[in-house]
Amino acid sequence: MAREEIRAWRSENPGNKYAIYFAPQLAMLTGEWNEAKTLLDEAAHLLPDEPLIASLLGVYWALVGEG
């Protein structure tokens, strides 16, 4: 359910930083590391100077053991 809601949110408002931010979080919480990395790479490309994305990248790297 959450995944579908986030996808709908992103399609309705593709530039919304919160929709972009929550998408990789869901993948990280469910252990879908490849999806999370893909979404984080896209987020970093779309919002290169956004602190939310930079901090989430740090959380990702810590969770996958690349601190």
Side-chain angles (χ1 to χ4, degrees):
M1 171 101 172
R3 184 168 272 109
E4 292 82 21
E5 290 295 324
I6 291 171
R7 283 186 183 139
W9 189 11
R10 291 189 71 196
S11 74
E12 292 169 8
N13 192 349
N16 183 296
K17 72 178 179 180
Y18 297 107
I20 294 167
Y21 173 70
F22 285 119
Q25 280 189 34
L26 178 60
M28 290 164 53
L29 288 169
T30 57
E32 297 173 28
W33 304 114
N34 290 333
E35 180 183 358
K37 183 65 168 85
T38 298
L39 290 166
L40 282 166
D41 288 345
E42 180 183 348
H45 176 75
L46 293 170
L47 303 167
D49 298 321
E50 176 55 53
L52 287 171
I53 303 305
S55 64
L56 193 55
L57 276 164
V59 171
Y60 169 83
W61 288 117
L63 288 171
V64 297
E66 299 288 332

